[in-house]
Amino acid sequence: MSSNYGITPQGENFSEWYNELVVKAELADHSAVRGCMVIKPHGYAIWELMQRALDDMFKETGHVNAYFPLLIPKSFFEKEADHVDGFAKECAVVTHHRLKATPDGKGLMPDPDAKLTEEYIIRPTSETIIWNTYKNWIQSYRDLPLLINQWANVMRWEMRTRMFLRTAEFLWQEGHTAHATYEEAETESLTILHECYGKFAEEWMAVPVIKGVKSEGEKFAGADHTYTIEAMTQDLRAIQAGTSHHLGQSFAKAFDVTFQSAEGKLEHVYATSWGVSTRLIGTLIMAHSDDKGLVCPPKLAPVQVVFIPMGRGEVWDVTVAKAKELAAELKARGVRVKVDDRTKEGPGFKAKDWDLKGACVRVDVGGRELEAGELGVARRDSEEKLLVPVDQIVDRCASLLSEIQANLYAKALAFREANTVRVDTWDEFLARFDGEGGGGFVLAHWDGTQETEDKISEATKATIRCIPLEPLHPDDVVEGTCVFSGKPSKQRVIFAKAY
RNA sequence: CGGGAUGUGGCUCAGCUUGGUAGAGCGCCGUGUUCGGAACGCGGAGGUCGCAGGUUCAAAUCCUGUCAUCCCGACCA
């Protein structure tokens, strides 16, 4: 798109649409640092709203926040073999603690005399530093469960990055818990999945998700098993929006974290870890937004209602005053409002601008309408515009917000259902994922082997997103035969091309 | 890391083939007329052409290297 206005339509090039939207809606910008973005105020506002809602849920389920170091001694990483394999290839390493002038005096270089005896890894995730710490915190069954969450940044040196979806540095939360029994840890990982992540995705983001367990090939490095919430994007791909891992005793054993039980026996603890990241913002965009720009569910919209005063001179003074008055009333009800009283831009410009930035409801405060006693109210989620009597504006805006929240979820759910199919033959399976783009969710039988999973992925680029915890349809758990190998299968699993 | 493309005022790009004093539109600043879905006039500011070498009297332009970004693969929240 060569124009400064507008963005590439989704249908033309989804990827370009996404990249342009992120920048033009002022959510984020590329930075001088490879793979790292600058999250701009409008984008960060969404993250803050997400943080607040999630943090409340974590607290509600008994967790507390703490903070652990950004740098992790390299040796910690060597202690859990699977974990090393999973992350070693994408670690940034700190090797020196001082700079000195280069011989030519023009630049700086790491001072060879300041080489660290043990190098540090910039955390790609904090299991190792946390479990090294927990070792000192846990002695007795009375110290359990230990339920801690951390809000932090992490770094993974990814080959290819995309703003919000995969950046080298990203913001997230990571929960790390310790339990006396396998069952209790299992309950914990499922509680997070259901009470926090699933609920947040559906009730706050208005994004329906499928909760399931990852196959061996897709699970977290070092986990016993991994639970996930999987969402569908508008280009028919799957996006992993959050994961909750039951780590078993692997980290407890690697870091020798034991406790004495009530019976006096020394046992290793059971662990979970779970996280969601700024990728949620990417998920949000890909699930709801359109060719006009960002569509934000009201619960996470930085600006829920925007007022556009119109007219010039005395009329302008009147419309601005009225807009501010109405905005104040709405604000008193806890609605996030904005009066766009910029004088340089016209109302047409402002309407487009707020469509782009994802204001949920726009109220045009015009002189003529004000005299007639009715104002134009436009919904961002639909094309719908309505006339609302001035004295009902506040009530109507408030009710519209919950209608929009519900509508966005319903729309996304209908979209996912329309693009979820059950496939029983290999030819049909191949056809579904042929070519570029997604292919939606395909529910197919799978023989449960890694080998088959790999071969399917190789042939189609589609991977097993999860094995649903609850079947989407009762027939999905009726036995069948693997779509690839023809071997017996207990249930259908979800295949999709993933972000 | 493999294949492809691109780096020129804040943004989108032209100029490069055939070396010779850096351009346009948008944006920005000032000003006036405008203001109901991206208004217009006039006057301005702003770039050692990604970076480092090399060739040359002379490099945005030619050569080498390097870095970054985007697209396609492998990897991944």
Side-chain angles (χ1 to χ4, degrees):
Chain A
M1 195 81 183
S2 57
S3 168
N4 281 330
Y5 302 126
I7 52 180
T8 300
Q10 279 188 2
E12 198 176 294
N13 186 330
F14 193 85
S15 192
E16 269 180 37
W17 165 82
Y18 175 84
N19 290 335
E20 289 175 13
L21 187 148
V22 166
V23 172
K24 293 194 172 173
E26 295 181 21
L27 300 174
D29 254 337
H30 293 287
S31 75
V33 183
R34 178 204 152 87
C36 297
M37 62 179 169
V38 174
I39 304 177
K40 297 182 78 172
H42 195 54
Y44 201 80
I46 297 177
W47 181 238
E48 287 179 313
L49 290 163
M50 288 178 159
Q51 278 186 302
R52 200 177 307 160
L54 283 162
D55 202 60
D56 285 346
M57 290 177 179
F58 299 148
K59 303 275 170 62
E60 190 63 34
T61 45
H63 303 85
V64 291
N65 287 328
Y67 188 80
F68 296 85
L70 168 69
L71 301 180
I72 299 178
K74 193 180 68 178
S75 61
F76 287 15
F77 257 85
E78 296 158 353
K79 295 192 177 184
E80 215 291 327
D82 292 334
H83 198 63
V84 179
D85 289 347
F87 288 102
K89 284 173 289 184
E90 48 191 40
C91 286
V93 186
V94 178
T95 56
H96 293 75
H97 64 83
R98 189 191 305 142
L99 294 170
K100 62 182 275 189
T102 49
D104 64 10
K106 288 179 181 169
L108 292 168
M109 57 183 273
D111 186 341
D113 295 335
K115 193 166 165 47
L116 296 174
T117 49
E118 179 171 2
E119 294 166 339
Y120 288 115
I121 311 297
I122 299 179
R123 62 183 166 213
T125 180
S126 301
E127 272 79 4
T128 55
I129 181 76
I130 286 179
W131 281 92
N132 179 73
T133 307
Y134 280 3
K135 175 180 168 56
N136 300 322
W137 290 1
I138 298 168
Q139 321 286 336
S140 150
Y141 72 96
R142 296 178 207 275
D143 296 326
L144 300 173
L146 186 58
L147 305 173
I148 289 180
N149 175 62
Q150 155 165 274
W151 289 96
N153 58 340
V154 288
M155 174 157 270
R156 298 180 188 176
W157 211 269
E158 300 286 353
M159 291 299 179
R160 289 180 59 201
T161 58
R162 296 192 72 186
M163 287 199 277
F164 291 115
L165 292 181
R166 182 170 302 106
T167 44
E169 181 189 9
F170 56 94
L171 304 183
W172 76 345
Q173 59 70 216
E174 45 181 328
H176 296 274
T177 69
H179 307 267
T181 66
Y182 180 94
E183 291 71 26
E184 195 184 296
E186 180 66 10
T187 301
E188 165 74 9
S189 57
L190 285 170
T191 297
I192 293 298
L193 188 78
H194 293 295
E195 301 302 315
C196 299
Y197 293 167
K199 196 170 161 186
F200 178 76
E202 300 196 332
E203 292 180 16
W204 288 74
M205 295 173 65
V207 173
V209 290
I210 293 174
K211 299 170 198 162
V213 63
K214 285 288 188 187
S215 65
E216 282 296 299
E218 295 275 337
K219 77 175 185 187
F220 178 75
D224 186 77
H225 55 277
T226 288
Y227 294 111
T228 177
I229 53 172
E230 298 283 329
M232 185 185 283
T233 59
Q234 290 181 83
D235 65 335
L236 302 179
R237 289 173 185 269
I239 186 159
Q240 179 177 307
T243 46
S244 178
H245 317 291
H246 187 151
L247 301 174
Q249 292 175 305
S250 58
F251 283 91
K253 285 177 178 165
F255 288 89
D256 194 29
V257 183
T258 56
F259 71 100
Q260 200 162 15
S261 68
E263 295 78 38
K265 284 199 311 189
L266 209 54
E267 295 175 34
H268 284 106
V269 302
Y270 290 84
T272 79
S273 71
W274 27 275
V276 293
S277 70
T278 35
R279 172 179 255 207
L280 289 177
I281 296 174
T283 306
L284 192 72
I285 295 166
M286 290 198 154
H288 299 306
S289 295
D290 61 22
D291 290 348
K292 292 201 278 187
L294 180 68
V295 175
C296 220
K299 284 188 179 181
L300 296 172
V303 174
Q304 294 173 310
V305 179
V306 66
F307 291 87
I308 313 280
M310 303 197 195
R312 292 283 290 168
E314 285 176 25
V315 179
W316 172 256
D317 294 340
V318 171
T319 57
V320 169
K322 192 66 193 176
K324 285 185 174 169
E325 178 191 325
L326 291 169
E329 282 183 54
L330 266 172
K331 194 179 174 190
R333 291 216 198 167
V335 177
R336 292 184 288 277
V337 294
K338 176 98 184 169
V339 176
D340 191 346
D341 58 358
R342 289 177 288 180
T343 50
K344 187 177 172 297
E345 290 80 8
F349 177 94
K350 291 176 185 175
K352 296 254 186 202
D353 196 41
W354 287 107
D355 281 347
L356 181 60
K357 291 192 177 136
C360 307
V361 173
R362 192 187 72 247
V363 181
D364 296 331
V365 186
R368 293 196 294 276
E369 286 169 321
L370 213 47
E371 271 181 40
E374 286 188 324
L375 297 181
V377 175
R379 292 172 62 145
R380 178 64 181 88
D381 64 328
S382 61
E383 299 296 310
E384 198 182 349
K385 292 182 185 178
L386 42 160
L387 281 173
V388 177
V390 177
D391 59 3
Q392 292 174 27
I393 287 284
V394 171
D395 285 337
R396 193 70 189 98
C397 283
S399 65
L400 267 177
L401 292 176
S402 42
E403 284 173 40
I404 291 170
Q405 183 80 31
N407 177 51
L408 286 176
Y409 180 79
K411 240 163 78 173
L413 182 60
F415 182 83
R416 188 188 77 190
E417 284 174 352
N419 291 290
T420 301
V421 295
R422 285 160 184 82
V423 163
D424 292 311
T425 69
W426 182 237
D427 283 347
E428 215 183 320
F429 192 97
L430 280 172
R432 189 77 194 172
F433 290 114
D434 193 33
E436 295 302 311
F441 287 177
V442 168
L443 286 158
H445 281 286
W446 166 57
D447 62 22
T449 67
Q450 183 69 52
E451 190 191 355
T452 297
E453 183 177 359
D454 291 344
K455 284 183 175 164
I456 290 176
S457 162
E458 204 177 310
T460 64
K461 305 273 184 283
T463 50
I464 297 174
R465 300 324 303 155
C466 71
I467 302 149
L469 293 179
E470 301 271 329
L472 277 73
H473 186 279
D475 291 347
D476 291 348
V477 287
V478 172
E479 291 184 13
T481 55
C482 175
V483 73
F484 181 80
S485 68
K487 289 177 188 162
S489 154
K490 289 197 184 98
Q491 62 172 305
R492 291 178 189 272
V493 300
I494 294 178
F495 288 91
K497 290 186 187 173
Y499 272 106

